[in-house]
Amino acid sequence: MAPKAGSKMTREEELLLEGFNKNVSTKSSALFYGNAFIVSAIPVWLYWRVHTVDVAAYAIMFVIGTLVSTWLLAFAYKNTKHVLKHKLAIKREAAVTKEITKKLADDKKISKKKDERILWKKNEVAEYEATTFSIFYNNSLFLAIVIFASFYVLNGASPTVNYGLSIGSASGLIALLSTGTKS
Amino acid sequence: MLKQFLLVLTVGISQLNADDGSARLLLAKQIHNKYLVEGMDIVVKYSLYNVGDNAATNIQVSDNGFRNEDFELVSGQTQFKLDRLGPGTNTSQTVVVRPRKFGYFNFTAAEVNYSGSEGSSVVLTGLSSDPGQGVIIAARDYEKQFSSHFLDWAAFAVMTLPSLGIPFALWWSSKSKYEAIALKKD
């Protein structure tokens, strides 16, 4: 695309750069850490009720485990979202273009900024879908691994070993998987 | 269980020599439970076998091993009487008790008193087989191993539903909206 007026190019460049930037906004960060904390804290219920572990006695272990898991889970969310966003942006381009074109069809004045609007909307949709899917996917995987590790693999192990290894391996594994750039 | 069953065949003690024509009773005491758990029923079976030549009369079986502070009597009697047991016959009684505490417990032998022949004033005494020491498991440990924790899992499912359901629903609504737009022919 040939560069035109200075301000438009800068805005487009901005949007393009935003697509490649791995840093998340404060709102996104809060969303990720909030979700990660909730999902990391829920397995403690299972340990208390099903494994009948005394929570008061192992409080420190549970707190540390939850915090470490929260951080790793949020890390996984960010990475997964970043990878997904690119793929989704390509996928949704046609649909978003159609939507914006239809919206601005009547108004000839804004049609000049159409490309910018399409890019912005595509970015937003990709961001939204990538974020929600990343959270869903990582949560499911995390909970599945914790349940499998805690009740099948490590059933009968001491509370410390059971909790430490289940939570550690689940969050570690999904953090590791999220760093993969392939699909 | 096998050990207890074998003990049935190794008799108790008899006070008098078994004369020809005298009844001889063997008493077996068996615990019919696989697990002994605090607060859960234990089934105790007393079996009487008359291996003598005469009928035993005025039979009295008493088991003082289940003290009231340790066990609650649910069904049956720990002391029961039988009028007559013919030669070569057997009978059995079942008692159900419920332990009040957990820990090691020594199941002691029960005692049987009877007359060797009808009309005889001589009282013969015997002791039952001794089930020996058993472990009564704490209710908490038993529940931990065997309970299905259905409600706990249900509560867990309810708690995780928002974390999984909401992101999925949001993603799905956006995805289906844009896929519909892409498929729609202008």
Side-chain angles (χ1 to χ4, degrees), chain B residues 21 23 54-58 83-84 114-123:
Chain B
N54 222 330
T57 53
N58 209 17
D83 287 331
R84 186 179 184 277
Y114 59 99
S115 300
S117 48
E118 289 190 74
S120 167
S121 58
V122 178
V123 175

Side-chain angles (χ1 to χ4, degrees), chain A residues 73-131:
Chain A
L73 209 51
F75 176 78
Y77 288 154
K78 270 186 266 183
N79 290 348
T80 315
K81 180 211 112 180
H82 181 70
V83 168
L84 274 175
K85 196 173 160 181
H86 288 294
K87 285 196 282 171
L88 278 168
I90 298 165
K91 255 180 152 177
R92 298 282 175 251
E93 182 148 25
V96 170
T97 310
K98 260 194 199 169
E99 192 191 16
I100 300 292
T101 313
K102 200 171 169 188
K103 233 179 177 173
L104 306 176
D106 307 315
D107 202 337
K108 293 228 180 351
K109 240 194 323 188
I110 322 174
S111 63
K112 278 186 201 170
K113 287 195 179 170
K114 200 177 82 169
D115 288 338
E116 191 189 301
R117 286 285 286 269
I118 289 172
L119 192 61
W120 174 82
K121 183 70 180 175
K122 189 178 74 176
N123 204 27
E124 198 192 77
V125 170
E127 171 96 16
Y128 180 79
E129 281 192 31
T131 303

Side-chain angles (χ1 to χ4, degrees), chain B residues 131-144:
Chain B
Q133 196 180 62
V135 182
I136 300 174
I137 312 168
R140 191 174 176 269
D141 295 332
Y142 180 79
E143 243 172 78
K144 180 177 172 179

Side-chain angles (χ1 to χ4, degrees), chain B:
Chain B
M1 265 342 279
L2 184 65
K3 180 182 157 192
Q4 284 153 9
F5 196 72
L6 286 175
L7 281 174
V8 169
L9 304 178
T10 55
V11 172
I13 305 152
S14 221
Q15 268 194 343
L16 285 182
N17 289 333
D19 298 330
D20 284 316
S22 175
R24 186 151 171 223
L25 288 187
L26 304 179
L27 176 63
K29 176 177 169 180
Q30 287 166 285
I31 309 291
H32 268 261
N33 276 43
K34 190 174 174 190
Y35 293 101
L36 307 173
V37 186
E38 173 198 4
M40 284 178 62
D41 294 347
I42 294 179
V43 178
V44 185
K45 187 175 173 189
Y46 301 94
S47 310
L48 275 165
Y49 302 86
N50 188 354
V51 295
D53 300 320
N54 222 330
T57 53
N58 209 17
I59 302 159
Q60 286 179 322
V61 177
S62 71
D63 189 350
N64 299 314
F66 297 114
R67 296 184 307 172
N68 199 38
E69 57 255 39
D70 295 330
F71 290 90
E72 181 193 338
L73 187 65
V74 177
S75 136
Q77 304 282 339
T78 53
Q79 294 180 335
F80 58 90
K81 285 186 198 165
L82 225 58
D83 287 331
R84 186 179 184 277
L85 188 63
T89 58
N90 55 43
T91 182
S92 66
Q93 285 278 341
T94 308
V95 172
V96 179
V97 291
R98 202 174 281 161
R100 295 185 201 269
K101 306 170 193 166
F102 62 88
Y104 288 97
F105 185 79
N106 202 13
F107 292 93
T108 52
E111 196 182 275
V112 59
N113 294 310
Y114 59 99
S115 300
S117 48
E118 289 190 74
S120 167
S121 58
V122 178
V123 175
L124 301 171
T125 311
L127 287 175
S128 77
S129 58
D130 175 3
Q133 196 180 62
V135 182
I136 300 174
I137 312 168
R140 191 174 176 269
D141 295 332
Y142 180 79
E143 243 172 78
K144 180 177 172 179
Q145 197 175 350
F146 293 100
S147 162
S148 73
H149 296 286
F150 177 72
L151 281 176
D152 299 323
W153 281 104
F156 174 75
V158 167
M159 282 193 284
T160 56
L161 214 64
S163 311
L164 295 175
I166 295 173
F168 180 76
L170 293 173
W171 170 74
W172 183 259
S173 70
S174 175
K175 171 182 139 79
S176 37
K177 174 185 164 192
Y178 283 98
E179 278 184 350
I181 294 175
L183 287 169
K184 205 165 62 169
K185 298 218 164 113
D186 287 319

